[in-house]
């Protein structure tokens, strides 16, 4: 238990932590931003302090908290500036008003489908007569949501990605 090291094929290293939570289950957390053992040790010490205080080792994470962590640790590090801006816009305008307040462990496939149906209805009302109205925007939003939830699976916040299996909408043929 404590600080663990992850080596990538490129030679880059990042550090993570593992511990036993209040239920006796082993927990792991990796963060690509922890490039030194000191960063990981600080996070591990914070978790030990929470255990000493008798509170949960990991506070419940909302979708908004997940977005901020995913955006800082994955999108800004690995993606193009255009995607960084697009992800922020999609979250701010569409994801946050609908499910930003929810805890990520309460988001399921039905909620994601309802979100897509609601966006589709809004777009159809804005553009009557166009059966492909807003499909491109909805697909972008769905891509951002899938990326966020895949990140949540990779950091062991949820077991499965509820957005997998939700099909993208057909876009207008060129």
């Amino acid at each position: 238990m404590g600080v663990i090291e992850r080596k990538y094929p490129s030679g880059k290293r990042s550090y993570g932590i593992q511990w036993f939570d209040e239920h006796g289950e082993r927990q792991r957390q990796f963060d690509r931003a922890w490039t030194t053992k000191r960063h990981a040790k600080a996070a591990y010490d914070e978790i030990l302090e929470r255990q000493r205080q008798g509170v949960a080792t990991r506070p419940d994470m909302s979708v908004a908290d997940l977005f901020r962590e995913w955006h800082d640790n994955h999108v800004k590090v690995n993606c193009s500036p255009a995607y960084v801006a697009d992800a922020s816009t999609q979250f701010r305008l569409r994801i946050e008003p609908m499910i930003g307040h929810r805890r990520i462990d309460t988001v399921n496939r039905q909620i994601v489908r309802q979100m897509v149906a609601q966006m589709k209805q809004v777009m159809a009302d804005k553009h009557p007569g166009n059966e492909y109205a807003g499909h491109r925007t909805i697909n972008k939003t769905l891509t951002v949501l899938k990326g966020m939830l895949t990140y949540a699976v990779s950091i062991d916040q949820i077991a499965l990605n509820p957005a997998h299996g939700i099909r993208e909408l057909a876009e207008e043929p060129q």
Side-chain angles (χ1 to χ4, degrees), residues 108-126:
N108 57 28
R109 188 169 290 171
Q110 182 181 4
I111 290 170
V112 175
R113 282 190 180 129
Q114 286 173 349
M115 189 178 106
V116 170
Q118 186 178 359
M119 286 189 293
K120 193 173 178 182
Q121 183 62 44
V122 167
M123 295 298 187
D125 291 344
K126 278 185 175 179

Side-chain angles (χ1 to χ4, degrees), residues 72-135:
D72 292 339
N73 296 333
H74 177 74
V75 176
K76 286 183 179 178
V77 174
N78 298 320
C79 300
S80 70
Y83 186 78
V84 171
D86 192 42
S88 298
T89 302
Q90 297 300 326
F91 179 76
R92 190 181 75 248
L93 296 178
R94 292 172 188 86
I95 298 171
E96 187 174 35
M98 292 183 190
I99 62 170
H101 63 283
R102 290 185 161 276
R103 286 191 356 230
I104 60 171
D105 59 344
T106 64
V107 175
N108 57 28
R109 188 169 290 171
Q110 182 181 4
I111 290 170
V112 175
R113 282 190 180 129
Q114 286 173 349
M115 189 178 106
V116 170
Q118 186 178 359
M119 286 189 293
K120 193 173 178 182
Q121 183 62 44
V122 167
M123 295 298 187
D125 291 344
K126 278 185 175 179
H127 307 283
N130 183 355
E131 67 176 292
Y132 299 107
H135 286 199

Side-chain angles (χ1 to χ4, degrees), residues 1-65:
M1 295 298 114
V3 177
I4 49 180
E5 184 176 328
R6 181 180 278 175
K7 295 178 185 175
Y8 296 97
S10 65
K12 184 179 175 185
R13 296 171 189 239
S14 68
Y15 296 90
I17 55 176
Q18 64 182 1
W19 69 95
F20 286 107
D21 68 4
E22 58 275 5
H23 305 292
E25 296 177 17
R26 188 175 75 167
Q27 299 290 323
R28 289 185 184 167
Q29 182 177 354
F30 278 94
D31 190 332
R32 289 184 184 218
W34 296 340
T35 55
T36 64
K37 287 184 181 180
R38 189 186 70 210
H39 293 117
K41 178 79 171 106
Y44 182 68
D45 291 342
E46 181 181 317
I47 286 174
L48 290 180
E49 181 60 31
R50 290 180 66 84
Q51 283 181 332
R52 281 188 210 102
Q53 293 172 0
V55 295
T57 54
R58 262 195 235 193
D60 292 329
M61 186 180 262
S62 69
V63 173
D65 297 333

Side-chain angles (χ1 to χ4, degrees), residues 58 66 104-107 148-162:
R58 262 195 235 193
L66 173 66
I104 60 171
D105 59 344
T106 64
V107 175
M148 283 173 39
L149 294 172
T150 299
Y151 179 78
V153 170
S154 73
I155 62 171
D156 297 327
Q157 287 288 328
I158 55 176
L160 297 170
N161 185 342

